[in-house]
Amino acid sequence: ATTEQESEFAVLDKRNYTRIMRAEDLSRIAVYADFLQSCRGFKGWARSAILRVAYVMRSEERNKNEELLKQGEKCREVYFIKSGQVKLIYEMDHLLRETTEQNKGDHSKDDNLITNSSSSSSSN
């Protein structure tokens, strides 16, 4: 690269960039790990095990009425409801059933976790 005219740059070298990004990553991982530790399904897990799960988590926002999964589809992800509400609609004994799950700030119950691949769900 060659400057076409006299120029001024703000420069961040690779070592410092990596250090800053690592600190940002560690902060994100700690937030997820704290959230997981508050969920009943992770009670008794070692912090190191929770950190390994938290490392691969990501946050997603979904629009109202956006479908997450259809009944019968293979479930490839686990959804934790951090905020908002999800409606589960499923067929059972040839009848359509519906239930609503929402995050009430209490992660000690498993109802903040959507994992069942036999349910259809859409967000509200």
Side-chain angles (χ1 to χ4, degrees):
T2 306
T3 57
E4 295 280 326
Q5 60 185 356
E6 197 170 305
S7 304
E8 183 178 345
F9 298 93
V11 179
L12 178 61
D13 62 50
K14 183 178 179 178
R15 183 181 58 82
N16 286 316
Y17 173 80
T18 302
R19 182 178 55 85
I20 291 166
M21 294 310 292
R22 179 161 166 72
E24 185 69 29
D25 253 0
L26 291 175
S27 174
R28 178 188 60 80
I29 292 166
V31 168
Y32 286 134
D34 292 345
F35 173 78
L36 290 172
Q37 275 190 311
S38 71
C39 296
R40 185 175 68 180
F42 291 92
K43 293 288 184 214
W45 281 44
R47 181 72 177 182
S48 60
I50 289 175
L51 286 168
R52 285 194 298 276
V53 173
Y55 180 77
V56 295
M57 290 183 78
R58 68 183 187 282
S59 184
E60 287 185 6
E61 289 186 19
R62 298 296 181 109
N63 297 317
K64 183 175 182 174
N65 294 323
E66 185 177 345
E67 195 170 78
L68 299 176
L69 186 68
K70 287 184 179 179
Q71 185 169 344
E73 284 183 347
K74 187 174 185 176
C75 187
R76 299 186 186 279
E77 296 177 307
V78 176
Y79 294 92
F80 296 88
I81 306 169
K82 289 175 65 179
S83 66
Q85 182 173 307
V86 174
K87 183 178 5 177
L88 304 171
I89 304 169
Y90 56 95
E91 186 178 327
M92 190 167 143
D93 300 325
H94 303 289
L95 297 172
L96 206 55
R97 309 217 186 241
E98 183 176 314
T99 185
T100 301
E101 304 294 341
Q102 70 182 41
N103 181 338
K104 298 177 184 133
D106 178 9
H107 307 297
S108 62
K109 293 185 242 163
D110 285 335
D111 54 353
N112 293 329
L113 174 64
I114 308 299
T115 59
N116 191 345
S117 64
S118 65
S119 296
S120 173
S121 59
S122 60
S123 64
N124 280 332

